[in-house]
C-alpha cells in the first residue's frame, strides 16, 4: 500500500510564507490534493490535481509537485490559516492520506 | 446547495455490526462517486473506500484495514450511500465522513460526520 509522509508541524508568522510538503512514491504517477481542517470541522478541499485551486480558495494558496514531493504554499499567511493540512493521492483503487501537518501561525 | 448528511453511528461491541447512511442532496447523486473517510479522535484522516457510479459499474474499492469487513453500497433512487461495517474492532472507533467526487473534483463536499464507538 502507498504511504505519504508529512512533517507533523510547521510554524510561521503572519504575513510570511508557509510551505507544507508531502512525500511518497505514489506522487510520481498520481495527482495530489490538499485539504484544510480546522478544529471541530470537516476537511475542505484546497488544491486538487497538484496545483489547481478549488473555487473560492484564495489565490494565496498554491500547489506544486516535483518528483515524489508535493508542496502546498500559503503566501501572506493569515491567522485564519491556522489548521491541519492533509495531502491525498493514489490510484483508482488505492487512496492514501498523509499524516497531516499542523500549521501554527504565531 | 450540496448537502451530505451521515447517520447511523453509535456504540457497538467488538465483533458487532453497524450500518451508516449518507443522504445526499443538491447535486446529481447518480453521477458521482461516493467515498467514506474516517478520523479517530486526535488522529489523521483515513480513506475507507468508495463506490463509483452506475456508469462505472458501481465499482468498489477499500482500504486494506477494512477489506473483507466493510461493504459500501448505494441506492440512487434514494440519493443515499451506505457503509455496512461487520466484525468491528476497537480500532474502528472514529468519526466517519462521507464525501463525493465528481469530474476533476475529489472530495469537494463532506458531511458533518457520524461517530462510531466500538467498545465493550
Amino acid at each position: 500500500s502507498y504511504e505519504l509522509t508529512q512533517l507533523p508541524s510547521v510554524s510561521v508568522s503572519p504575513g510570511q510564507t508557509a510551505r507544507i510538503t508531502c512525500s511518497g512514491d505514489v506522487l510520481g504517477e498520481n495527482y495530489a490534493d490538499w485539504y484544510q481542517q480546522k478544529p471541530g470541522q470537516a476537511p475542505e478541499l484546497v488544491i486538487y490535481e497538484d496545483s489547481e485551486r478549488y473555487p473560492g480558495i484564495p489565490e494565496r494558496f498554491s500547489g506544486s509537485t516535483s518528483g515524489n514531493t508535493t508542496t502546498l504554499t500559503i503566501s501572506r499567511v493569515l491567522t485564519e490559516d491556522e489548521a491541519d493540512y492533509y495531502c491525498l493521492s493514489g490510484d483508482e483503487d488505492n487512496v492514501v492520506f498523509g499524516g497531516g501537518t499542523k500549521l501554527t501561525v504565531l | 446547495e450540496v448537502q451530505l448528511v451521515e447517520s447511523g453511528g453509535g456504540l457497538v461491541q467488538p465483533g458487532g455490526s453497524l450500518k451508516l447512511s449518507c443522504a445526499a442532496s443538491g447535486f446529481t447523486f447518480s453521477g458521482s462517486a461516493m467515498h467514506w473517510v474516517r478520523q479517530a479522535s486526535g488522529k489523521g484522516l483515513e480513506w475507507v473506500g468508495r463506490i463509483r457510479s452506475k456508469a462505472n459499474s458501481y465499482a468498489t474499492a477499500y482500504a486494506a484495514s477494512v477489506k473483507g469487513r466493510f461493504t459500501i453500497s448505494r441506492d440512487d433512487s434514494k440519493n443515499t450511500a451506505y457503509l455496512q461495517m461487520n466484525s468491528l474492532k476497537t480500532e474502528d472507533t472514529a468519526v466517519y465522513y462521507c464525501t463525493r467526487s465528481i469530474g476533476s473534483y475529489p472530495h469537494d463536499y463532506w458531511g458533518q460526520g457520524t461517530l462510531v464507538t466500538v467498545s465493550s
Side-chain angles (χ1 to χ4, degrees), chain A residues 30-62:
Chain A
N30 297 279
Y31 283 127
D33 314 314
W34 286 96
Y35 298 84
Q36 176 194 69
Q37 186 180 33
K38 296 182 178 180
Q41 297 182 17
E44 294 185 356
L45 176 63
V46 177
I47 297 289
Y48 66 100
E49 292 184 351
D50 289 349
S51 60
E52 298 296 320
R53 197 178 307 110
Y54 187 66
I57 299 300
E59 292 185 6
R60 303 184 294 103
F61 289 81
S62 62

Side-chain angles (χ1 to χ4, degrees), chain A residues 54, chain B residues 27-35 100-109:
Chain A
Y54 187 66
Chain B
F27 66 100
T28 305
F29 178 80
S30 60
S32 301
M34 298 301 296
H35 303 249
R100 75 154 196 188
S101 60
I102 187 167
S104 298
Y105 293 155
H107 311 286
D108 61 338
Y109 282 93

Side-chain angles (χ1 to χ4, degrees), chain A residues 12-81:
Chain A
V12 68
S13 298
Q16 292 189 330
T17 297
R19 293 179 179 83
I20 300 172
T21 61
C22 170
S23 300
D25 291 342
V26 63
L27 297 172
E29 297 182 0
N30 297 279
Y31 283 127
D33 314 314
W34 286 96
Y35 298 84
Q36 176 194 69
Q37 186 180 33
K38 296 182 178 180
Q41 297 182 17
E44 294 185 356
L45 176 63
V46 177
I47 297 289
Y48 66 100
E49 292 184 351
D50 289 349
S51 60
E52 298 296 320
R53 197 178 307 110
Y54 187 66
I57 299 300
E59 292 185 6
R60 303 184 294 103
F61 289 81
S62 62
S64 62
T65 295
S66 177
N68 291 345
T69 299
T70 191
T71 303
L72 173 68
T73 301
I74 310 172
S75 305
R76 303 179 298 282
V77 168
L78 303 176
T79 55
E80 66 195 47
D81 299 331

Side-chain angles (χ1 to χ4, degrees), chain A residues 78-101:
Chain A
L78 303 176
T79 55
E80 66 195 47
D81 299 331
E82 186 164 287
D84 294 326
Y85 291 85
Y86 296 89
C87 59
L88 177 143
S89 187
D91 59 28
E92 293 293 326
D93 297 323
N94 194 355
V95 176
V96 63
F97 283 94
T101 296

